[in-house]
Amino acid sequence: QKEVEQDPGPLSVPEGAIVSLNCTYSNSAFQYFMWYRQYSRKGPELLMYTYSSGNKEDGRFTAQVDKSSKYISLFIRDSQPSDSATYLCAITPGGYQKVTFGTGTKLQVIP
Amino acid sequence: GAGVSQSPRYKVAKRGQDVALRCDPISGHVSLFWYQQALGQGPEFLTYFQNEAQLDKSGLPSDRFFAERPEGSVSTLKIQRTQQEDSAVYLCASSGPDGLHEQYFGPGTRLTVT
């Protein structure tokens, strides 16, 4: 079993839709949770990180963590064509910063 | 620019050749990471440096892979006797002492072994 599981998609939505991206993880030792966005032929860029259960909001993006279910989500409101990219969840136990990434979900927002 | 830079951006090597991939982290960043990203997959951890010390190399897939950061800034990932399965994008990331898990990634080097 992989440490973190993520549906690879692709996911195609119309502009303005609410997008929900999800990951599950297996080890309760993981304490820090991140979402990265990766455009084609670019390196990943950090969107959000959180270390507690609950919601964290930043503009159109909301990260949600449920440690009891080992489930993390990223919601994108009012999706835009510029949001078209691959979204990677990432987890780490904390302290020393080794990060484990999901496979990524490819999102396409259609104008 | 103040971001992480990597060179070359693209590298084609014949099977059996040695390659060296360079990473210039953000100035002042003490932590440096190398990842390997296969097509359609997320990045896989290779190795981690804190300043010049290589603290974790557990992700290096074989003894053909070697990384160094002799002066605590620029890092080089070397792959000896390249194999076709080494074809991937190699990503470098750095983070500062207060950056916790905020790793800044470079654009990667796309290695193709023919």
Side-chain angles (χ1 to χ4, degrees), chain A residues 90-106:
Chain A
I91 54 178
T92 180
Y96 157 58
Q97 302 162 44
K98 178 176 177 177
V99 176
T100 301
F101 284 85
T103 55
T105 299
K106 189 170 184 178

Side-chain angles (χ1 to χ4, degrees), chain B residues 3-8 10-13 21 42 47 49-51 66 69 72 76-77 87 93 102-103:
Chain B
V4 178
S5 60
Q6 292 186 246
S7 60
Y10 302 91
K11 177 71 179 176
V12 178
L21 313 179
T47 187
F49 290 86
Q50 187 172 77
N51 296 305
F66 172 76
R69 193 186 185 198
T76 304
L77 177 66
S87 295
E102 190 164 358
Q103 297 184 17

Side-chain angles (χ1 to χ4, degrees), chain B residues 39-88:
Chain B
L39 189 64
Q41 300 295 314
E44 296 271 351
F45 170 82
L46 293 177
T47 187
Y48 160 61
F49 290 86
Q50 187 172 77
N51 296 305
E52 69 278 3
Q54 189 175 21
L55 299 187
D56 189 341
K57 54 182 180 179
S58 62
L60 296 176
S62 77
D63 58 8
R64 297 186 296 104
F65 286 71
F66 172 76
E68 59 183 7
R69 193 186 185 198
E71 297 178 359
S73 55
V74 170
S75 177
T76 304
L77 177 66
K78 297 179 179 177
I79 309 173
Q80 296 176 325
R81 305 180 303 281
T82 52
Q83 304 293 315
Q84 280 195 314
E85 61 264 27
D86 300 334
S87 295

Side-chain angles (χ1 to χ4, degrees), chain A residues 2 32 34 36 38 41-46 49 88 92 94-99 101-104, chain B residues 9-10 31 33 35 37 40-43 45 48 56 58 91 95 100-103 105-107 110:
Chain A
K2 286 187 176 181
Y32 291 82
M34 287 82 72
Y36 285 81
Q38 186 173 26
R41 298 190 181 271
K42 301 284 188 183
E45 58 175 322
L46 181 67
Y49 84 87
L88 299 151
T92 180
Y96 157 58
Q97 302 162 44
K98 178 176 177 177
V99 176
F101 284 85
T103 55
Chain B
R9 289 294 314 279
Y10 302 91
S31 297
F33 305 81
Y35 294 87
Q37 187 173 25
Q41 300 295 314
F45 170 82
Y48 160 61
D56 189 341
S58 62
L91 293 162
S95 65
L100 292 175
H101 312 292
E102 190 164 358
Q103 297 184 17
F105 281 82
R110 183 176 297 273

Side-chain angles (χ1 to χ4, degrees), chain A residues 6-7 11 19-23 35-36 47 61-62 64 71-76 85-89 105-107:
Chain A
Q6 184 175 12
D7 186 337
L11 181 62
V19 176
S20 173
L21 304 166
N22 310 293
C23 289
W35 284 95
Y36 285 81
L47 281 176
F61 298 89
T62 299
Q64 187 176 80
Y71 194 84
I72 58 176
S73 301
L74 178 71
F75 299 96
I76 307 174
T86 296
Y87 289 81
L88 299 151
C89 62
T105 299
K106 189 170 184 178
L107 171 67

Side-chain angles (χ1 to χ4, degrees), chain B residues 21-34:
Chain B
L21 313 179
R22 177 187 170 106
C23 172
D24 283 82
I26 293 172
S27 178
H29 276 193
V30 300
S31 297
L32 185 145
F33 305 81
W34 283 99

